[in-house]
């Protein structure tokens, strides 16, 4: 089965703490993409990053960083010095090639991050 | 820049009533379009996707249907709503397959 597992249902931290959100995936595709999205209380999903399966370089964007490891099928997301505005549900997603040749995104169940002042 | 609109933002409908949710994209041509449903506390489930006008593919057989009458317009419909149709409906677009999808603000549907 091609799926994404986000084992952490909810994480609570205090502002300025670092936090890592885990994402483990399963796929039979040799080429695939991985994504992270943020869903704040307003409900709209905000795209954060896309990673190609051939590119295992870690990426940093401000306080956000992503660690992609094909050997463990993981694509973890770390927020450094968390802030209250980081409170949201975060989704990891995997592109899956369908029988039609079309690619769809399969989402994990999300991790709710609560950052308290 | 591209923007995606959805309406209405919230909707309360009785069981058995019809449904029409609309999604439009601005600033791009021939996008791939998607409808997702998110049940409370759950992940996103792909309902329909479209690669062009009049081309609709269904992921999960159910009480809903979709149409794409114009290049940048995607409509989700139902003839008779069920209680199980309640949820948060999100429309999304992408430039092409494999690329990131951009989501609209969503419609929160409650079927009573």
């Amino acid at each position: 089965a091609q799926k994404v597992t986000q084992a952490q249902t909810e994480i609570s931290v205090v502002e300025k703490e670092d936090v890592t959100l885990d994402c483990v995936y399963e796929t039979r595709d040799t080429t695939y993409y991985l994504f992270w999205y943020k869903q704040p209380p307003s409900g709209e999903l905000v795209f954060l990053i896309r990673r190609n399966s051939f590119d295992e370089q870690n990426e940093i964007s401000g306080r956000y960083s992503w660690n992609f490891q094909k050997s463990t099928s993981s694509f973890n997301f770390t927020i450094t010095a968390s802030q209250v505005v980081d409170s949201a549900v975060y989704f990891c997603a995997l592109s899956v090639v369908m029988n039609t040749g079309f690619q769809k995104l399969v989402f994990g169940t999300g991790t709710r991050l609560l950052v308290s002042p | 820049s591209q923007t995606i609109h959805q309406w209405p933002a919230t909707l309360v409908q009785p069981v058995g009533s019809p449904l029409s949710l609309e999604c439009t994209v601005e600033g791009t041509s021939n996008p791939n379009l998607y409808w997702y449903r998110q049940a409370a506390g759950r992940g996103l489930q792909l309902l329909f996707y479209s690669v062009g006008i009049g081309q609709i593919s269904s992921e999960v057989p159910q009480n809903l249907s979709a149409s794409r009458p114009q290049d940048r317009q995607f409509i989700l419909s139902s003839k008779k709503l069920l209680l199980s149709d309640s949820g948060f409906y999100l429309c999304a677009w992408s430039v092409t397959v494999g690329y990131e999808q951009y989501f609209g603000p969503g419609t929160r549907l409650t079927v009573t």
Side-chain angles (χ1 to χ4, degrees):
Chain A
Q2 303 193 85
K3 65 177 184 179
V4 174
T5 301
Q6 294 181 258
Q8 304 152 309
T9 305
E10 185 169 308
I11 301 175
S12 294
V13 299
V14 177
E15 212 170 15
K16 296 184 183 178
E17 286 185 15
D18 299 346
V19 58
T20 296
L21 308 181
D22 298 332
C23 172
V24 175
Y25 63 93
E26 295 179 31
T27 184
R28 56 174 176 265
D29 296 335
T30 53
T31 300
Y32 53 90
Y33 298 88
L34 294 161
F35 306 80
W36 275 96
Y37 284 85
K38 174 182 179 180
Q39 187 177 40
S42 62
E44 181 173 348
L45 267 78
V46 178
F47 165 73
L48 296 178
I49 189 170
R50 174 175 66 101
R51 174 61 75 213
N52 184 310
S53 56
F54 293 132
D55 182 2
E56 288 194 68
Q57 273 193 326
N58 292 332
E59 178 146 346
I60 299 175
S61 176
R63 297 184 297 106
Y64 295 171
S65 62
W66 291 269
N67 184 337
F68 176 33
Q69 292 194 349
K70 286 183 76 171
S71 60
T72 57
S73 297
S74 65
F75 186 42
N76 296 336
F77 173 29
T78 298
I79 301 175
T80 303
S82 59
Q83 300 177 1
V84 173
V85 294
D86 295 326
S87 296
V89 180
Y90 291 86
F91 290 95
C92 181
L94 165 72
S95 67
V96 171
V97 178
M98 304 165 70
N99 293 337
T100 58
F102 190 79
Q103 281 189 342
K104 68 174 183 179
L105 294 188
V106 171
F107 286 80
T109 51
T111 297
R112 182 178 301 277
L113 175 64
L114 299 172
V115 182
S116 54
Chain B
S1 64
Q2 300 87 8
T3 55
I4 178 169
H5 304 279
Q6 280 186 252
W7 63 90
T10 61
L11 193 59
V12 180
Q13 293 283 93
V15 169
S17 63
L19 173 73
S20 181
L21 303 182
E22 189 163 342
C23 169
T24 59
V25 181
E26 295 177 357
T28 186
S29 295
N30 197 31
N32 292 328
L33 295 172
Y34 312 81
W35 277 111
Y36 288 87
R37 177 169 60 201
Q38 183 179 26
R42 304 283 297 277
L44 280 78
Q45 179 186 38
L46 178 63
L47 301 176
F48 300 95
Y49 63 91
S50 172
V51 299
I53 296 175
Q55 298 179 357
I56 308 294
S57 295
S58 173
E59 254 304 87
V60 182
Q62 55 202 319
N63 186 41
L64 303 169
S65 62
S67 61
R68 184 170 178 174
Q70 299 181 44
D71 181 44
R72 289 168 289 178
Q73 184 185 29
F74 206 22
I75 297 172
L76 183 69
S77 304
S78 173
K79 292 182 179 178
K80 289 186 178 182
L81 283 169
L82 306 172
L83 284 175
S84 57
D85 291 324
S86 293
F88 190 49
Y89 289 82
L90 289 154
C91 180
W93 73 273
S94 69
V95 172
T96 185
V97 295
Y99 278 68
E100 56 271 20
Q101 295 177 17
Y102 295 96
F103 287 80
T107 295
R108 200 163 299 279
L109 172 66
T110 303
V111 182
T112 60

